[in-house]
Amino acid sequence: MAHTICIANQKGGVGKTTTAVNLSAALAVAGKKTLLVDCDPQANATTGLGIDKQTIETSLYHGLIGQAPAADIIRDTGIEKLSLMPSKTELIGFEVEMMADAGRDKMLRALLGECASDYDYIIIDCPPSLSLLTLNAMTAANAVLITLQCEFYALEGLGQLMQTVKRIKQGLNRELTIEGILLTMFDSRTNLSNQVAENAEQYFKKLVFKTRIPRTVRLGEAPSYGKPIIFYDPSSVSALSYLALAKEVIRGRRRKDKVVIL
Ligand code: ATP
Ligand code: MG
């Protein structure tokens, strides 16, 4: 059965999609059968893998509203062992259309239940909000990976995010844990980055991944070529950092003394 990780932070532009795409690709390269689920109407993870939105007829939206089975939505990415459940702008409609549906929080869990046994890992890219889509992602997941951009307001709003995870754990998904907190866009030359890292480690201790994702031009460029960094620039520090993160995630799954602070 797949280990399902949702990548979340209600803040925008903090490296969620970059992490979802590159961690998925790194897990696939490490030999793990992986499904990337694009749960954001912006569909950045879909285009980041080089898939043209115009060619998508059946997207996650159709799966969530019960119009298509998972098997009809999942597609190949051209990368061995990596599949994608793509998204399109129409996913915006999900929230409004499901307003009156009592089971609206569990639609993604049901959909992924159809295919979870086919994968080692399922990675869900969340939108920048704590909306119904994010709640669905957290309800479908075993664990939440929080990306923390190394900038001044990084830790602000994290309390609210942790509260949401806790609420979901108490109500909709008792199994939910925190996979870890990932420092992104880290620049070791700046005091600010070092300060954010120090604060995060003081507060969240072992929950913070040892791997830090550096801020690099190459990582910013890769999506415009429709490629994960390990294929766009395999020997770069950015590629190595996502490979190291994948290793930590794989090790973490085997670790028995997993820290849970909820
Ligand atoms: P949103 O909340 O809008 O979904 P996000 O949290 O998914 O955003 P990304 O799209 O991953 O964030 O990143 C925001 C921007 O920063 C993108 O243009 C991305 O290419 C760039 N970026 C992400 N990580 C890095 C990095 N480590 N170094 C340089 N640029 C980065
Ligand atoms: Mg994103």
Side-chain angles (χ1 to χ4, degrees):
M1 192 59 83
H3 181 59
T4 304
I5 303 172
C6 82
I7 316 279
N9 192 329
Q10 75 271 36
K11 272 181 196 272
V14 294
K16 292 182 291 294
T17 302
T18 303
T19 297
V21 167
N22 291 299
L23 173 60
S24 300
L27 286 167
V29 165
K32 304 292 179 189
K33 221 177 156 214
T34 304
L35 173 69
L36 172 59
V37 178
D38 190 347
C39 197
D40 184 351
Q42 296 181 97
N44 293 338
T46 300
T47 46
L49 279 179
I51 289 163
D52 178 3
K53 282 187 274 183
Q54 308 304 325
T55 66
I56 301 166
E57 276 171 22
T58 315
S59 73
L60 178 63
Y61 169 76
H62 300 100
L64 291 180
I65 62 165
Q67 276 185 7
D72 286 1
I73 307 166
I74 295 170
R75 53 191 287 162
D76 291 339
T77 61
I79 296 168
E80 208 181 331
K81 292 190 190 282
L82 180 61
S83 303
L84 172 74
M85 218 180 235
S87 161
K88 254 176 116 167
T89 330
E90 61 215 6
L91 189 55
I92 292 175
F94 172 70
E95 184 130 15
V96 178
E97 287 161 39
M98 285 293 137
M99 200 96 84
D101 194 311
R104 62 184 179 271
D105 299 319
K106 296 184 179 146
M107 302 299 193
L108 183 59
R109 181 201 279 235
L111 185 69
L112 296 183
E114 294 170 27
C115 60
S117 58
D118 297 338
Y119 298 96
D120 298 311
Y121 286 91
I122 298 178
I123 305 293
I124 310 172
D125 186 28
C126 288
S129 64
L130 293 173
S131 64
L132 185 59
L133 283 168
T134 301
L135 297 191
N136 262 270
M138 289 188 186
T139 305
N142 303 112
V144 183
L145 188 159
I146 299 166
T147 54
L148 205 65
Q149 184 186 352
C150 294
E151 42 106 282
F152 187 63
Y153 294 111
L155 294 160
E156 202 180 74
L158 216 56
Q160 202 190 349
L161 180 57
M162 288 296 191
Q163 278 305 316
T164 305
V165 177
K166 196 168 172 178
R167 200 155 42 84
I168 291 182
K169 188 177 164 68
Q170 285 164 352
L172 293 157
N173 183 3
R174 299 212 154 267
E175 312 284 294
L176 191 65
T177 59
I178 303 277
E179 186 74 31
I181 294 172
L182 177 68
L183 300 171
T184 64
M185 302 186 222
F186 181 78
D187 185 347
S188 60
R189 295 165 304 180
T190 69
N191 288 336
L192 187 54
S193 266
N194 286 304
Q195 192 63 51
V196 171
E198 199 177 301
N199 289 351
E201 273 157 9
Q202 243 166 28
Y203 193 71
F204 295 107
K205 305 202 163 57
K206 280 193 195 165
L207 272 184
V208 181
F209 285 106
K210 288 199 181 67
T211 306
R212 294 170 180 176
I213 307 300
R215 180 187 284 281
T216 65
V217 174
R218 302 299 260 172
L219 265 175
E221 283 170 357
S224 61
Y225 292 86
K227 281 186 179 172
I229 190 73
I230 44 176
F231 294 99
Y232 177 60
D233 191 356
S235 57
S236 62
V237 285
S238 329
L240 297 179
S241 70
Y242 274 107
L243 287 168
L245 176 66
K247 274 198 188 137
E248 259 195 85
V249 166
I250 293 167
R251 265 202 311 272
R253 196 176 175 190
R254 291 198 210 106
R255 207 167 60 207
K256 298 244 165 30
D257 62 335
K258 189 135 194 164
V259 228
V260 181
I261 56 154
L262 296 171

